Amino acid sequence: MTLAWTAMSAQMIIAGRQLEYICHGPDPATAPTIILLHEGLGCIAMWRDFPAQLAAATGFGVFAYSRAGYGQSDPVTLPRPLDYMTREASDVLPAILDGIGFRRGILLGHSDGASIAAIYAGSHEDHRVRGLVLMAPHFFTEASGLAAIAEARSAYQSGDLKARLSRYHRHPDNAFYGWNDAWLDPAFRQWNIADVVDYLRIPVLAIQGRDDQYGTYEQIREVESRSYAPVDVEILEACAHAPHIDQPARTLALISEFTSRLERIEAAEVITA
């Protein structure tokens, strides 16, 4: 059954868990859809007004959900498996796309969400997905990023990070430690999903902040150098790990231009055919 397309926070059951979701703009039967995949500590509320602005700027519908363990979604059993991003791409995302009646559009991921988007596009032959927007993606671990994640643990345990996250997550410990413990597990240092880039066959827009504390330009270079499909790269000045927060106007403009170009290409292909 197709889920209700609603701008009010709603619940769906995927893989036995209740997940919260929200929609903006036209439904999938009316226009292409952007699927938002949040960061490692994100949820639909932490996107703020970005989904609504994205729908207005692009004319696409926008669908956002909180993964299990985040926001008002059901918690997960800890510790998370170290391949949790691959599992999200293989076990959860396909059911969500089918559940909303996804017909065509793009996956837009931030941080962990960008990794999930890349894994899905590189390992599933889904012709409905016409492009990827990867904001601050991770394809492998870096010492500097792991150090920043260790600092986040200190901020959570002895600073105000737990109080701030509690405003957004019903189970803040589940959200934080599900992410933090996985990334700081010694075995996770070998985590590397860069081979999925070799299988991308759709256009990619890669966006990263110049001052990203969780990843260096080497993450972007991986998709830029390995993808057989076109890749547009934008490095934003005065921007850390969250381009949509630090540089919202520029980020929206870049995505809008990317989606417009995809639509022009698709229209030309229809005419040619």
Side-chain angles (χ1 to χ4, degrees):
M1 177 180 292
T2 301
L3 298 170
W5 191 263
T6 173
M8 301 294 291
S9 179
Q11 295 282 331
M12 58 184 173
I13 297 178
I14 300 291
R17 289 192 173 93
Q18 279 203 332
L19 306 180
E20 65 168 344
Y21 73 93
I22 197 166
C23 315
H24 292 277
D27 64 40
T30 308
T33 309
I34 298 173
I35 308 296
L36 291 184
L37 300 164
H38 63 73
E39 64 176 310
L41 290 178
C43 62
I44 62 173
M46 292 182 71
W47 283 113
R48 304 180 187 178
D49 59 355
F50 182 69
Q53 291 185 345
L54 193 59
T58 63
F60 283 29
V62 175
F63 177 89
Y65 76 101
S66 297
R67 298 193 295 275
Y70 298 100
Q72 304 307 306
S73 295
D74 282 349
V76 294
T77 301
L78 298 183
R80 282 185 182 272
L82 300 188
D83 63 345
Y84 69 92
M85 286 177 270
T86 296
R87 296 190 186 202
E88 186 75 19
S90 62
D91 300 341
V92 179
L93 188 54
I96 288 176
L97 296 180
D98 291 342
I100 67 170
F102 183 70
R103 296 188 178 187
R104 66 184 179 94
I106 69 172
L107 304 181
L108 191 164
H110 173 221
S111 192
D112 277 16
S115 302
I116 293 167
I119 293 169
Y120 183 85
S123 58
H124 291 73
E125 189 175 0
D126 188 343
H127 297 294
R128 298 172 299 177
V129 179
R130 308 299 175 85
L132 294 178
V133 177
L134 307 178
M135 299 194 300
H138 302 293
F139 296 104
F140 49 86
T141 61
E142 296 178 283
S144 57
L146 294 176
I149 291 170
E151 290 176 7
R153 179 186 287 266
S154 297
Y156 188 81
Q157 294 177 338
S158 58
D160 67 346
L161 182 56
K162 182 172 183 175
R164 289 189 283 121
L165 289 178
S166 296
R167 299 200 297 266
Y168 301 101
H169 301 290
R170 181 156 49 103
H171 304 283
D173 283 353
N174 199 256
F176 181 80
Y177 289 111
W179 165 76
N180 196 262
D181 284 353
W183 276 85
L184 294 183
D185 188 304
F188 198 77
R189 293 174 186 170
Q190 305 305 313
W191 176 80
N192 189 312
I193 60 160
D195 59 341
V196 301
V197 177
D198 298 337
Y199 298 94
L200 297 181
R201 296 296 184 270
I202 53 177
V204 176
L205 170 61
I207 305 173
Q208 187 171 25
R210 180 77 66 186
D211 305 318
D212 191 335
Q213 67 272 40
Y214 291 109
T216 70
Y217 184 75
E218 292 306 310
Q219 303 291 338
I220 300 297
R221 192 188 306 278
E222 199 74 13
V223 66
E224 188 178 32
S225 64
R226 295 179 66 156
S227 176
Y228 285 90
V231 177
D232 293 335
V233 173
E234 293 288 341
I235 305 300
L236 302 182
E237 303 296 335
C239 180
H241 189 57
H244 60 292
I245 294 175
D246 292 348
Q247 294 288 351
R250 180 60 179 153
T251 300
L252 281 169
L254 289 169
I255 297 169
S256 181
E257 178 184 342
F258 181 70
T259 57
S260 294
R261 193 182 327 136
L262 291 183
E263 286 296 273
R264 290 195 299 271
I265 293 170
E266 185 138 327
E269 289 176 348
V270 170
I271 292 172
T272 302

